[in-house]
Amino acid sequence: MEKNGDRAVTPTAADWVDWEVGTVDRRIFWDQAIYERELERVFARSWLFVAHESQVQAPGSFVTTYMGEDSVIVARDDDGINVFLNSCPHRGNRVCFADSGQARQFTCNYHGWTFGLDGTLRRMPKVGLYKSTPGFRMQDWGLKRARVADYKGLVFATFAEEAPELEDWLGDFRWYLDAVLDAEAGGTEFLPGGATRSVMGCNWKFPADNFVGDIYHALWTHLGGAEPTLGRHGGMQVENAGSYQVSVNGHGWEFNDSFLGNAATMGDRDLLRYMRSRQEAITARLGKFRADMWGSVASATIFPNFSFLPGYFTFRTFQPKGPLKTEIHAWTLVPKDMPDDIKDRFRRGSMRTFSPSGLLEMDDGENWEHSTSANAGWITRHQRLCYAMAPGGDLERNDLPGIVSAGQLSDANQRLFYKRWAEMMDAESWVDIPVAQPTAGAKVDA
Amino acid sequence: MSTSLDAKPNYLNYPRLSREQARAAAAQLIAMTGDGSPVHDALLPRIQRFYLREARLLDEERHEEWYAMLADDLFYWMPLRENRFRRDKRPEFDPDNMALFDESKADIAVRIGRLASRLAWTEDPPTRHVYLVTGIEAFETAVVGEYEIHYAFVQYRNRSEHDAAMLCGRRRDLLRATGDSFQVARRMILLPQSVLLTKNLSAFF
């Protein structure tokens, strides 16, 4: 190990990440070979978020997105939602160039091979040329299909046949997810208009680790953004009393019990008034503990690159585009039954805080870009980063599922995120990757 | 986080459009096709001067003076651009869709407040901006003293050492005469990028 001065030529990922002391090797944010292994061992093995059900509601509706660097089409047919590669198996050309829309079929521009909403090859020009080709079978040449599963409106997919079921992959994190996905009866939807997309010159893990457990940065990074909206109203309170970090299989959520601490920074009194009016009903539905998470000072990442913020209800993927580039795709999620006027307030509120023009997001990108680019320096790159903060330590709360740490100001979730990353990077196959056994849920407020 | 600045404006009392007013403003901008009567030849140079001054004030970070060039009923809108098939029947611009800017004058004031706070670390040292406006066309509208303006812009910025972005686009304004000068009452900013090829929009357009 490098720490002992005799580092192996091919170190294991466990050498790059020391999740007990809390140090991370900066080369994992820079190195092309490590990035290539991430595409293979993290992205191609994980359940990745691809769409919200509301984006593909009617048969024929589709969106295109990415799983790792693989372009995919998410399309609904009469039988459900299909996810398949957006690359023609004939010569490899991209098949669908639209971000969203309605289609009966997808036709490749190059030679006209045409695929159904489930990705199967339906026909091609001069099909007789293939019919007279010995051994050619149409069913061998469809667009490669992924496994698809959903949790309360969020659709995930994976190309890994050996990956566990989505419910095991999410495990007990589902119990916490209900605080944003099941706060109101009637389910959720993404607001219309497609994804807000922007490019950052940073490694994808910096935003992912920021959302998994770094509220610490808000106390300093976001002073300028929060001051105009919050200055007269007491500011955002971030304390370790009454707050937590929780981690399950590398997914993580840091949160307090303020109910609308995040939402308050949008500076919209009518929106806050509405949220307060729903507190009693949501508490009756979820219990006080999870109801208090609905719009609280909080952030979360579903491993590896799908993150969200309660309160603003921005959901985003950090799409990897090489070790030094990340594309952010963001949507706003609201309860379907919310009044139109309140939905519109969330549309504008999330845009003004967490979008490329957002008062708070504008500060983040700059940090992540320079945390990445500084690693060009050889000496710089060989100094490990500090993820050591642990004021609360592990919390013995057997009434809460997952690994729970006391206090949201901590690096606990980030250490567990990188532990998960190292486990997947080192594992030869899915058999070697541990999966936490889901419990029967939580006892708190049950 | 908490701040202790007392002499702060209360942005909640700043001019803000209702949802209905914003939708009506968006509809007006969408309907602007530049097919009306061109303004009188004597008026066009005054309008051009207004936009050259606006570009210079933004380059020089004279935000308070720029703010005075905006009408109290301002609607300031940068819709998202999506890649869609030509056969797609959905309207290209819809005020209910997610956007990059969808602002009243109060929201502009908050953004200026962020910069004025000196707590926006990403603007210290400051970004250097160059704003070019060109191809200004001005047309009469049904309202005397309100003009429909179409033009193109280039917004170049540079900060730190290698950090540069160039955004080109088109704008549609509803410009209102106010005594000796004008104010922007509606503004629609159309960037051609579907994926924003820069990390943020920490600039005014």
Side-chain angles (χ1 to χ4, degrees):
Chain A
M1 303 229 326
E2 186 177 39
K3 282 175 288 186
N4 303 327
D6 59 348
R7 182 172 153 263
V9 174
T10 308
T12 67
D15 294 329
W16 297 326
V17 174
D18 183 337
W19 58 82
E20 284 168 347
V21 174
T23 65
V24 172
D25 192 311
R26 296 172 76 153
R27 285 170 294 185
I28 75 170
F29 304 107
W30 183 262
D31 187 274
Q32 184 72 35
I34 292 173
Y35 175 76
E36 294 297 334
R37 194 184 287 191
E38 285 178 334
L39 291 183
E40 172 204 344
R41 295 197 165 185
V42 176
F43 288 96
R45 279 176 175 167
S46 296
W47 281 98
L48 299 170
F49 172 78
V50 292
H52 190 285
E53 273 178 358
S54 59
Q55 294 177 283
V56 282
Q57 241 165 355
S61 57
F62 72 88
V63 294
T64 52
T65 185
Y66 288 86
M67 295 171 63
E69 290 217 50
D70 294 301
S71 174
V72 296
I73 299 171
V74 182
R76 187 185 281 274
D77 65 10
D78 292 332
D79 299 322
I81 294 171
N82 305 288
V83 178
F84 42 86
L85 282 186
N86 187 14
S87 173
C88 183
H90 178 223
R91 291 293 186 275
N93 188 24
R94 184 183 175 114
V95 173
C96 181
F97 289 86
D99 301 326
S100 71
Q102 283 281 325
R104 285 192 296 270
Q105 59 199 27
F106 298 100
T107 300
C108 177
N109 290 341
Y110 199 170
H111 299 87
W113 283 28
T114 296
F115 304 89
L117 293 168
D118 59 357
T120 55
L121 178 60
R122 292 285 165 79
R123 61 186 172 277
M124 63 273 269
K126 295 199 178 296
V127 67
L129 298 172
Y130 287 100
K131 283 187 172 160
S132 57
T133 298
F136 182 89
R137 305 188 314 161
M138 297 281 280
Q139 63 263 40
D140 292 338
W141 297 101
L143 299 170
K144 183 180 173 63
R145 287 167 58 88
R147 293 167 65 193
V148 183
D150 80 283
Y151 184 70
K152 297 195 177 179
L154 303 181
V155 183
F156 294 80
T158 181
F159 286 101
E161 293 300 331
E162 68 282 10
E165 297 300 321
L166 176 66
E167 59 191 51
D168 296 315
W169 166 264
L170 294 174
D172 280 339
F173 209 61
R174 291 172 297 168
W175 187 78
Y176 296 99
L177 283 173
D178 289 353
V180 290
L181 299 179
D182 206 5
E184 300 273 22
T188 61
E189 64 187 12
F190 274 176
L191 292 176
T196 303
R197 298 180 293 182
S198 57
V199 166
M200 276 186 196
C202 71
N203 185 276
W204 67 272
K205 292 187 292 302
F206 279 123
D209 94 30
N210 176 280
F211 277 69
V212 86
D214 186 345
I215 189 63
Y216 182 52
H217 83 290
L219 302 175
W220 188 251
T221 290
H222 296 310
L223 279 180
E227 199 253 2
T229 51
L230 284 178
R232 284 177 67 93
H233 303 279
M236 183 189 277
Q237 299 300 318
V238 182
E239 307 287 348
N240 271 349
S243 69
Y244 303 91
Q245 293 212 350
V246 58
S247 177
V248 178
N249 293 334
H251 320 307
W253 195 322
E254 56 83 17
F255 57 95
N256 72 4
D257 58 0
S258 62
F259 185 68
L260 40 65
N262 265 356
T265 65
M266 292 187 285
D268 184 334
R269 280 176 300 189
D270 292 332
L271 189 147
L272 296 181
R273 197 172 296 128
Y274 172 81
M275 289 181 78
R276 281 194 200 94
S277 79
R278 298 303 305 156
Q279 188 163 11
E280 196 177 314
I282 293 171
T283 302
R285 187 172 176 82
L286 296 175
K288 183 177 184 328
F289 188 85
R290 286 185 298 169
D292 286 347
M293 296 169 67
W294 187 43
S296 76
V297 176
S299 64
T301 293
I302 296 178
F303 188 91
N305 67 331
F306 180 44
S307 299
F308 61 89
L309 295 173
Y312 312 100
F313 301 113
T314 176
F315 280 62
R316 63 255 314 277
T317 49
F318 300 117
Q319 302 287 10
K321 302 284 178 189
L324 312 182
K325 195 168 156 189
T326 300
E327 208 170 286
I328 301 182
H329 295 188
W331 306 265
T332 303
L333 175 139
V334 293
K336 249 185 226 168
D337 295 339
M338 189 176 262
D340 279 351
D341 174 60
I342 302 298
K343 287 181 185 176
D344 199 60
R345 289 172 182 278
F346 274 108
R347 180 180 68 84
R348 283 177 283 139
S350 60
M351 175 198 70
R352 286 190 195 124
T353 48
F354 283 94
S355 81
S357 67
L359 291 167
L360 300 172
E361 182 172 309
M362 283 195 286
D363 301 321
D364 288 318
E366 188 81 358
N367 294 336
W368 300 331
E369 286 197 345
H370 289 282
S371 291
T372 300
S373 63
N375 297 316
W378 196 90
I379 299 292
T380 304
R381 190 156 76 240
H382 285 78
Q383 183 182 35
R384 292 170 78 97
L385 297 180
C386 173
Y387 285 80
M389 196 206 294
D394 291 344
L395 187 62
E396 295 296 326
R397 273 197 72 157
N398 55 17
D399 58 339
L400 289 173
I403 301 169
V404 183
S405 309
Q408 67 186 143
L409 287 161
S410 163
D411 290 341
N413 273 3
Q414 294 168 82
R415 287 191 293 274
L416 292 164
F417 173 88
Y418 286 111
K419 176 172 188 266
R420 185 57 164 183
W421 177 87
E423 286 168 352
M424 294 194 77
M425 290 288 278
D426 278 344
E428 291 299 327
S429 74
W430 245 111
V431 179
D432 304 320
I433 301 169
V435 179
Q437 199 61 36
T439 63
K443 299 185 189 81
V444 63
D445 297 320
Chain B
M1 76 192 71
S2 64
T3 53
S4 56
L5 293 176
D6 298 324
K8 285 176 47 57
N10 185 356
Y11 295 109
L12 295 172
N13 297 330
Y14 273 51
R16 187 179 295 283
L17 300 185
S18 70
R19 187 179 178 214
E20 289 67 32
Q21 289 169 324
R23 279 176 156 179
Q28 188 177 7
L29 286 163
I30 290 168
M32 284 184 176
T33 52
D35 295 325
S37 309
V39 298
H40 192 277
D41 285 350
L43 184 57
L44 190 58
R46 291 182 54 214
I47 290 174
Q48 286 170 335
R49 273 204 298 278
F50 175 86
Y51 285 111
L52 294 177
R53 173 177 159 80
E54 183 191 21
R56 183 164 49 82
L57 292 182
L58 287 172
D59 286 351
E60 294 172 0
E61 293 192 325
R62 290 159 67 178
H63 295 131
E64 295 294 332
E65 289 166 82
W66 176 66
Y67 186 74
M69 299 174 88
L70 309 174
D72 280 355
D73 61 342
L74 174 74
F75 176 65
Y76 181 96
W77 187 31
M78 185 190 285
L80 280 183
R81 309 303 294 271
E82 224 194 353
N83 298 300
R84 295 179 183 172
F85 289 123
R86 290 179 186 275
R87 66 172 185 262
D88 201 313
K89 291 190 176 61
R90 293 173 292 174
E92 186 177 11
F93 306 115
D94 185 332
D96 289 338
N97 282 354
M98 295 301 295
L100 288 164
F101 287 96
D102 186 336
E103 311 287 76
S104 289
K105 196 173 182 184
D107 307 308
I108 302 292
V110 170
R111 292 178 183 281
I112 292 174
R114 168 179 178 261
L115 296 170
S117 74
R118 299 209 166 192
L119 300 172
W121 315 131
T122 59
E123 288 300 332
D124 194 8
T127 303
R128 294 168 288 271
H129 297 270
V130 178
Y131 220 125
L132 304 177
V133 292
T134 185
I136 297 171
E137 298 178 279
F139 304 93
E140 302 283 349
T141 67
V143 178
V144 176
E146 288 193 350
Y147 308 103
E148 176 184 330
I149 317 290
H150 294 256
Y151 57 113
F153 68 85
V154 178
Q155 210 274 336
Y156 174 80
R157 62 178 167 167
N158 187 303
R159 80 176 298 270
S160 193
E161 294 163 345
H162 304 279
D163 201 348
M166 187 165 70
L167 294 168
C168 306
R170 293 200 68 89
R171 293 198 306 209
R172 296 179 196 177
D173 281 4
L174 184 74
L175 195 66
R176 187 179 294 146
T178 55
D180 291 347
S181 187
F182 304 95
Q183 282 189 321
V184 179
R186 315 254 181 277
R187 173 164 288 176
M188 183 184 197
I189 307 137
L190 294 176
L191 292 182
Q193 299 180 356
S194 67
V195 177
L196 196 63
L197 299 176
T198 179
K199 67 192 149 187
N200 66 39
L201 293 172
S202 179
F204 293 105
F205 292 89

